[in-house]
Amino acid sequence: MKKINLVYVLLFAIIFSCKESAKVVKTNKKVAVIDSITVKKHLYTLAADDMEGRKTRTAGIEKAAKYIENEFKRIGLTTYDTLKDYRQTFTFTDKSSKKEITTSNIIGVLEGKSKKNEIVIISAHYDHLGVKIKEGQLDSIYNGANDDASGVTGVLALAEYFKEKANNERTILFVAFTGEELGLIGSTYFGKGIDATKFVAGINLEMIGKVPSFGPNTAWLTGFERSDFGKIIQKNLEGTGYQLFADPYKKFNLFFRSDNASLARLGVPSHTFSTTPIDVDKDYHQVSDEVETLDMAVITETIKAVAKGTESIISGKDTPTRVVIKENK
């Protein structure tokens, strides 16, 4: 009898041990989060002095491109369409210098599950103004921390977040556009090569590093009235303590001044999230646009809000109405 009991005890111990091991494995599974540590890492890297202001066709923007590529690779994104890597390289003529410039959009893909042919694009531009030496001005590097290293930080953080969640029914394209400061060059080129009917939404992030005029835990959206995209986001954010408002700066025509416009002109409900009080922002396009002027909590909470707000679009539950551009602007 004692021997039989001993066998039962040993079997129980083995079964219990296996269950506990399973619990450990489950506990150690990586959880999808958006945290300020990751945000700070991306932002400080992209807006560092050694990026030299990330002007298109410079060593600085090339360094930024490599950083974004390496992050896409680390996260585990795949390449877009027939591209052999994350770069969509093309050549254009710069209007001001009349020179031929070769540059690249950086594109990573997270394929959808049940609706992989329906695409949501999450974007920001990674170029800025570069280095400008001016008499009497000690600092010559236009770091572009808010404009738009903050937005690219959001793209990278969201790419990692949605990759870890692994439940996106629609395909997500994560894009760092080039040449925005030269006239939406990268996004315009990208738009020429797509079937716009497959793109259900465009989520563009621009200058998300400061407290808006609406107060903490708020953001505003360009072109709010041009589709029901904004209303979908508002509904998804109910109860979170974060609010989304319509663009309060209509006189600046901001809907057409960021990369969302290139897709919106094709009918895609593509809009830009921002938090910056642009009418009084003293750092816009100045050498003073540095990381120290930004609020990490604002960026982090805004990225979280974008993730939560777009949840039903990425899952395939909601599809925003198409944008109709009635006037050429």
Side-chain angles (χ1 to χ4, degrees):
M1 246 343 241
K2 288 183 179 178
K3 287 183 179 179
I4 294 173
N5 286 339
L6 182 60
V7 170
Y8 278 123
V9 169
L10 288 172
L11 283 172
F12 177 78
I14 292 169
I15 292 168
F16 180 78
S17 176
C18 289
K19 285 184 176 179
E20 288 301 305
S21 297
K23 285 182 181 178
V24 171
V25 171
K26 190 174 182 180
T27 303
N28 289 337
K29 185 179 179 180
K30 194 171 180 182
V31 179
V33 295
I34 296 167
D35 61 76
S36 58
I37 295 173
T38 302
V39 166
K40 189 173 183 178
K41 178 193 123 180
H42 293 322
L43 189 65
Y44 271 81
T45 301
L46 291 165
D49 281 353
D50 63 3
M51 293 288 180
E52 300 175 340
R54 307 185 310 276
K55 186 175 182 178
T56 302
R57 201 191 186 186
T58 64
I61 198 172
E62 173 60 21
K63 185 175 282 191
K66 287 180 178 177
Y67 177 77
I68 298 166
E69 283 180 304
N70 288 337
E71 286 301 300
F72 280 177
K73 184 177 180 179
R74 178 186 65 79
I75 292 166
L77 302 184
T78 57
T79 56
Y80 174 61
D81 198 26
T82 60
L83 298 180
K84 63 180 181 179
D85 53 32
Y86 296 117
R87 297 199 183 205
Q88 182 185 51
T89 302
F90 61 96
T91 301
F92 72 99
T93 302
D94 181 29
K95 291 181 180 179
S96 58
S97 68
K98 307 302 180 185
K99 292 181 179 179
E100 292 286 304
I101 295 178
T102 299
T103 186
S104 304
N105 293 322
I106 314 299
I107 308 172
V109 181
L110 184 59
E111 188 173 85
K113 303 186 183 316
S114 63
K115 298 183 177 184
K116 66 180 181 179
N117 291 323
E118 297 179 12
I119 304 170
V120 175
I121 180 170
I122 299 177
S123 64
H125 70 92
Y126 73 108
D127 66 305
H128 195 54
L129 304 179
V131 177
K132 297 181 182 181
I133 299 174
K134 295 182 179 180
E135 188 177 348
Q137 185 172 284
L138 296 178
D139 189 358
S140 59
I141 301 174
Y142 288 71
N143 301 78
N146 199 26
D147 184 16
D148 191 25
S150 66
V152 178
T153 292
V155 171
L156 294 175
L158 288 167
E160 189 158 13
Y161 174 79
F162 285 118
K163 174 65 175 177
E164 290 302 327
K165 281 188 74 75
N167 64 354
N168 55 298
E169 298 302 321
R170 285 172 166 151
T171 293
I172 311 174
L173 255 59
F174 298 93
V175 186
F177 284 122
T178 185
E180 191 266 3
E181 300 288 3
L182 297 177
L184 314 185
I185 299 297
S187 57
T188 299
Y189 179 83
F190 174 82
K192 289 178 180 177
I194 67 169
D195 177 355
T197 62
K198 292 183 178 181
F199 284 73
V200 298
I203 302 160
N204 192 52
L205 308 179
E206 177 92 61
M207 300 174 67
I208 59 171
K210 297 185 177 183
V211 178
S213 56
F214 298 107
N217 291 320
T218 65
W220 46 270
L221 189 77
T222 63
F224 193 96
E225 72 288 352
R226 293 180 180 271
S227 79
D228 65 357
F229 176 96
K231 291 181 179 179
I232 292 171
I233 306 303
Q234 287 179 328
K235 183 179 179 181
N236 291 338
L237 289 177
E238 287 178 2
T240 66
Y242 199 102
Q243 291 180 284
L244 180 70
F245 293 89
D247 171 15
Y249 310 112
K250 295 295 179 66
K251 67 178 182 179
F252 293 119
N253 202 27
L254 297 175
F255 182 73
F256 292 97
R257 288 175 56 185
S258 195
D259 289 311
N260 68 281
S262 298
L263 294 182
R265 287 189 170 99
L266 301 175
V268 180
S270 181
H271 303 261
T272 294
F273 288 85
S274 185
T275 66
T276 302
I278 192 71
D279 58 333
V280 295
D281 184 30
K282 61 183 178 60
D283 304 310
Y284 176 67
H285 279 196
Q286 302 298 318
V287 291
S288 57
D289 183 8
E290 303 210 36
V291 173
E292 291 72 23
T293 66
L294 306 186
D295 189 321
M296 294 300 143
V298 168
I299 300 174
T300 305
E301 292 307 310
T302 299
I303 297 169
K304 288 179 181 178
V306 171
K308 178 64 178 175
T310 60
E311 195 172 60
S312 64
I313 296 174
I314 286 167
S315 71
K317 179 183 175 183
D318 288 322
T319 300
T321 54
R322 306 298 282 182
V323 166
V324 177
I325 306 297
K326 295 182 179 179
E327 48 197 286
N328 185 23
K329 292 186 179 181

